[in-house]
Amino acid sequence: VQAAERRGGGHAPSPDGGLLPEAVHAGPVLPDARDRVTALERQVLAVMVQMPLVASRAGADSIEAAAFVDPVHRAAFEALEAAGGVDRAEQEVQALSAGGAGREAVERRAIGRWVEQVRLGAAPEVDGALTALAVVELPLVLRRDANGVVDEASVERYAREAVTSLARMGVNRRLTELRARQRRMAPEDAGYREVFEEIVGLENRRMRLSQGG
């Protein structure tokens, strides 16, 4: 991940001053994203890398690593979470705000600190994937008001929908695995209760996701 504190040419500016390095192109370090699931995984990761503050408000850190099918995507997500997740970027903003600097300057410094933490723990191949994610084009048209200010509500709505969709896929995948295991067990078998309780918990989580919670 490049600690770019400028908004890169050719790409839509990130509402929270995210990472848009110059002259870096998504290459073979990222998997082919022609199928819907891989494309969604990439979108969520790109939001987390490019717009960590937006991703934090969208609840991206609540996604389980197992929701990512592609191993490269999963490794990239785990590298972000190992550095405290996107919520860490928001925490950095809060910590720096006490200094009295302007919001934009604070966010730039906070994201720079967060990127350093991510890079410290990322293996070279994962760092390459994160750098490529920083310039992935998102299927998002930024709306602006009469003064040219980005409508952040529409950006956050897009991010939340992407995060929720991926989280729901992960929950459904895990439920499928657990139900298959449960069918092979008898109620008195060791571990049956744990499987049942996890199924109930996942069902509740799926309901909350469906309700936008």
Side-chain angles (χ1 to χ4, degrees):
V1 178
Q2 300 291 324
E5 297 179 355
R6 52 193 176 277
R7 295 181 169 118
H11 294 274
S14 163
D16 62 25
L19 317 177
L20 294 176
E22 294 180 350
V24 180
H25 302 281
V29 291
L30 291 179
D32 192 350
R34 283 181 292 187
D35 69 272
R36 179 173 175 268
V37 174
T38 309
L40 180 59
E41 291 179 4
R42 183 174 299 186
Q43 286 178 42
V44 170
L45 287 169
V47 169
M48 294 179 73
V49 171
Q50 296 177 24
M51 302 182 288
L53 303 183
V54 170
S56 175
R57 292 190 289 271
D61 284 339
S62 67
I63 299 174
E64 298 287 341
F68 293 86
V69 176
D70 184 86
V72 173
H73 286 165
R74 189 182 306 118
F77 179 78
E78 289 172 344
L80 295 173
E81 292 304 296
V86 288
D87 285 353
R88 173 67 180 272
E90 183 64 47
Q91 292 165 7
E92 291 284 359
V93 170
Q94 299 302 321
L96 292 171
S97 294
R103 177 75 180 182
E104 185 173 348
V106 166
E107 289 183 357
R108 189 180 300 119
R109 287 183 59 201
I111 292 172
R113 286 187 178 185
W114 176 71
V115 173
E116 288 177 5
Q117 291 301 311
V118 172
R119 297 197 70 182
L120 280 174
E125 57 272 21
V126 177
D127 187 52
L130 292 168
T131 299
L133 286 163
V135 291
V136 164
E137 293 190 37
L138 296 169
L140 173 66
V141 177
L142 296 181
R143 299 176 182 175
R144 300 175 184 274
D145 62 19
N147 298 318
V149 177
V150 172
D151 176 17
E152 293 194 21
S154 64
V155 176
E156 291 191 24
R157 186 162 50 251
Y158 158 76
R160 189 171 296 279
E161 288 174 355
V163 166
T164 300
S165 294
L166 184 60
R168 188 183 295 117
M169 284 184 182
V171 168
N172 287 341
R173 189 179 304 117
R174 180 60 175 163
L175 277 171
T176 299
E177 296 171 356
L178 289 172
R179 290 194 187 283
R181 186 189 306 176
Q182 187 185 39
R183 284 194 292 270
R184 297 192 297 269
M185 303 174 73
E188 62 272 15
D189 288 347
Y192 182 91
R193 182 178 180 82
E194 287 76 7
V195 170
F196 175 76
E197 290 177 350
E198 186 175 352
I199 288 173
V200 171
L202 288 169
E203 288 284 10
N204 290 335
R205 174 157 169 70
R206 184 168 63 173
M207 184 178 298
R208 291 195 300 271
L209 289 169
S210 299
Q211 295 171 346

